[in-house]
Structures are given as C-alpha cells and as structure tokens.
Amino acid sequence: MAMIDQNVIDFTRVAPIDHVPGFRTDAPSQVTLRPGGSVSALLLRLLGGGMVLASTGLWLMPESGADPQMALIRIGVSVFLLFAGLCLLLQRDVKLPPEFHFDAQRNELRIEEMRSDGRPVVLMRRSYASLGAARFDGKVLQILETDGRLLAELPLEGRATRKLLLAQLRPHLRIVS
C-alpha cells in the first residue's frame, strides 16, 4: 500500500506502507488532488508567445528598412510587443489552488491551502459519514452533500486516480452514477 501525492500532471510514490499490519491493501491511505491550472492562464501564455514572435516577425517583412521613419515605428512596436509578450509568458499564479486530501486512516476529506509563509491551513474537514455521495462523471469527481447539493467538483487526472478514489470512497460513501 502506498500514499499517492497527485500533482497537476503526475503521480509520485510518497511512502510505501505495504509491510505495516492492520492497513487495508485495497485502497491507499491518502489521495491528494490539486485541481489543474486554468485555461485562461494557458491562453495568456500562448498570447505572450505570439507577441514575442510577432516582435521579430516585423523585421522579416520585405522593404523593412526602406523608410527611416517607418523603421522607427517598427522599433517602437517591436519593443512593446517583446516586453508585453515576455510579461505574459513569465506571469505566474501567486496563489496556489487548494489541495483536496482523501484520508482513509481518518475517514475524512480535508481541503488545505498553503499560506504565504509556506504553512498549510485546513479550510474544511469533513468525515466521510457526514458526506452524502460521490459521483464519478467522466473525468470529474463530484462530492455531494446529504441533501444532494454539490459540495466540491474535482478534475481527475486519469484512470489510476479514479480507481484509487473509487476504492477508497466505496466503503464509506454511496457512489452515484
């Protein structure tokens, strides 16, 4: 049995605990999910790359050095495109999205967020018994309240994550299709 730490892209083995007696071997003791990056950040980075390419592409046009006044305008436009494109490319999300921890040892769902000083803060802690149901819909896991309202919706990064969560949640939550 192993604890799985799931980042946005890959899975990493954290600590093997197969040899410890008393642990179930069918489900990991903790699965951590962090929802992926936003589409808008990806689009802004693509726009930044296009602006950097456009700044050099201005000088590849024919007759680029024929008129000195036009060359001065091209220098200004290409410098602006280069700096604006680099700003968009190097823009980083300062705030990390919260992590969702599914803990089989404590039978609870925790949502944690990293503070600016690097310490995790627990935003929500709910036992599996207080949750209503779980719905696996394609590549999305939906956690439902007891009255059927949606509590959380998490993207799943592949079959392995889906199987791990299904094995862990099935004994404790009702699985809705």
Side-chain angles (χ1 to χ4, degrees), residues 36-53:
S38 66
V39 176
S40 62
L42 175 71
L43 291 176
L44 285 177
R45 288 190 180 108
L46 286 175
L47 178 66
M51 291 173 82
V52 169
L53 290 175

Side-chain angles (χ1 to χ4, degrees), residues 4 17 51-52 56 58 76 78 89 93 95:
I4 305 282
I17 54 174
M51 291 173 82
V52 169
T56 58
L58 284 174
S78 64
L89 278 175
D93 295 333
K95 188 174 180 183

Side-chain angles (χ1 to χ4, degrees), residues 69-84:
Q69 291 176 346
M70 187 58 97
L72 185 61
I73 292 173
R74 284 187 187 185
I75 287 174
V77 169
S78 64
V79 166
F80 171 75
L81 287 174
L82 180 68
F83 283 126

Side-chain angles (χ1 to χ4, degrees), residues 30 42 76 86-88 102 109 123 126 149 153 164:
Q30 183 171 343
L42 175 71
L86 286 176
C87 287
L88 289 175
F102 294 89
L109 164 66
L123 299 177
R126 298 274 303 264
R149 287 183 293 131
E153 188 172 64
L164 289 171

Side-chain angles (χ1 to χ4, degrees), residues 95-147:
K95 188 174 180 183
L96 291 174
E99 291 183 348
F100 292 82
H101 297 277
F102 294 89
D103 195 348
Q105 291 174 337
R106 297 180 181 155
N107 291 333
E108 69 181 9
L109 164 66
R110 285 188 316 275
I111 301 176
E112 293 181 357
E113 186 176 58
M114 293 299 281
R115 290 177 132 181
S116 59
D117 60 355
R119 292 186 347 216
V121 175
V122 177
L123 299 177
M124 185 181 79
R125 175 177 279 154
R126 298 274 303 264
S127 69
Y128 288 156
S130 70
L131 298 174
R135 178 183 299 143
F136 290 88
D137 187 25
K139 293 185 177 184
V140 174
L141 167 65
Q142 296 176 343
I143 304 293
L144 304 173
E145 292 277 0
T146 54
D147 60 356

